[in-house]
Amino acid sequence: MLRYGISNLKGEERKQARMRLAIELGAKPPKKGTGNFKNFLAQMKSEKDEKRQSADERSAIQQAIAKSNFGKPKGGRKKKFQGGGFKKRGKNEVSGAFDGQIGSYKRGVQTVSKRDVAGGTRPSHDRKRSK
């Protein structure tokens, strides 16, 4: 049906329709036309300026919204911090590696040495060794 429609067209329309038909049947589309490089650079510069200007406008709007009280709770109360962060240690809590387990963690794996299992500590170098 498309071929019969193409036969009724004339001039440039017919050429465009044949090109579309060929592309639909698996032909490669034609390459883009060439142009003056200086014109291309000017066009790219203008597009870049437009993007920069629109980005500046958006950032100005966002700053204005941030400065205003839009979306903030009314009243003078502040919400309490509920996030993660560091837990404050109580007076009776022990800090550091004293979590009630023996050994230590390296890369997510708990390693236990003979010394940890024995429960003893290394002798200090200050003491005289008995002979």
Side-chain angles (χ1 to χ4, degrees):
M1 289 302 285
L2 188 59
R3 289 185 185 184
Y4 292 120
I6 290 174
S7 63
N8 291 334
L9 298 175
K10 294 187 180 182
E12 189 66 28
E13 293 177 359
R14 186 178 205 171
K15 188 176 181 182
Q16 293 293 329
R18 282 187 176 178
M19 193 180 306
R20 279 181 291 182
L21 177 64
I23 292 171
E24 286 178 12
L25 295 175
K28 291 185 180 178
K31 293 183 179 181
K32 292 183 180 180
T34 59
N36 190 346
F37 190 69
K38 288 183 181 180
N39 293 341
F40 173 73
L41 288 178
Q43 180 184 2
M44 293 303 290
K45 185 177 181 181
S46 65
E47 289 177 7
K48 190 174 182 181
D49 289 341
E50 290 173 7
K51 285 182 182 179
R52 184 179 295 135
Q53 187 177 10
S54 65
D56 290 342
E57 290 173 0
R58 274 187 269 133
S59 65
I61 290 171
Q62 289 174 350
Q63 288 176 357
I65 290 173
K67 287 181 181 179
S68 70
N69 290 332
F70 183 74
K72 292 184 180 178
K74 294 181 181 178
R77 292 185 182 183
K78 294 182 179 179
K79 288 187 177 181
K80 291 184 179 180
F81 180 70
Q82 297 176 358
F86 294 106
K87 180 181 175 185
K88 287 193 175 182
R89 184 170 40 118
K91 291 181 180 179
N92 294 328
E93 292 184 26
V94 180
S95 66
F98 301 105
D99 58 353
Q101 298 181 8
I102 60 172
S104 61
Y105 285 95
K106 293 181 184 176
R107 297 183 182 155
V109 178
Q110 186 177 15
T111 58
V112 180
S113 66
K114 291 180 181 178
R115 186 184 76 198
D116 293 332
V117 174
T121 59
R122 292 172 46 184
S124 66
H125 296 286
D126 296 338
R127 295 183 197 163
K128 294 182 179 180
R129 295 184 183 174
S130 61
K131 294 185 181 180

